[in-house]
Amino acid sequence: MQIGYARTSREDQNLDLQLNALRKDGVEEKFIHQEQVSALAKKRPQFDLALKRCRAGDTLVVWKLDRLGRSVLQLIETVNDLKDRGVNFRSITEGF
């Protein structure tokens, strides 16, 4: 199963570009988690829910790598956690 995550940092930004890319990539609407919250925020409830929803063999799909976090360390920790759980990861624009 593919699980998508889309995020903007501010409420005046639009999620449409990310959502359309996730849909085009084959992520079903009911498996797309979206929110408008800064990556620096301590709580990203939809991101946490997307991670919890991922099971071994699933793929977490994002539009860009920076949707996962702002620091390289945070990105590495998230991707390593997914790998340890047997969850694949794909960034649409970077081709991961």
Side-chain angles (χ1 to χ4, degrees):
M1 174 174 23
Q2 293 190 107
I3 297 164
Y5 176 70
R7 178 186 58 77
T8 60
S9 297
R10 299 186 329 244
E11 288 187 27
D12 63 336
Q13 293 175 322
N14 193 312
L15 285 166
D16 289 347
L17 181 64
Q18 294 177 56
L19 297 174
N20 290 335
L22 290 169
R23 290 180 196 116
K24 185 176 178 181
D25 197 66
V27 181
E28 291 182 51
E29 190 72 36
K30 64 183 177 181
F31 297 119
I32 296 176
H33 298 267
Q34 56 184 300
E35 59 193 348
Q36 294 179 303
V37 62
S38 169
L40 301 175
K42 293 190 188 279
K43 294 186 180 185
R44 294 187 289 162
Q46 287 300 308
F47 180 67
D48 293 340
L49 186 58
L51 292 178
K52 285 181 186 177
R53 194 173 213 178
C54 291
R55 303 285 179 243
D58 290 346
T59 301
L60 179 65
V61 183
V62 296
W63 178 61
K64 285 181 75 173
L65 193 57
D66 67 357
R67 300 301 84 191
L68 295 183
R70 291 282 185 196
S71 73
V72 173
L73 180 59
Q74 188 177 29
L75 296 173
I76 291 170
E77 288 173 347
T78 301
V79 172
N80 281 338
D81 176 62
L82 292 170
K83 181 181 173 186
D84 290 346
R85 295 172 41 208
V87 176
N88 303 303
F89 170 74
R90 183 168 56 255
S91 170
I92 295 170
T93 58
E94 284 100 2
F96 280 76

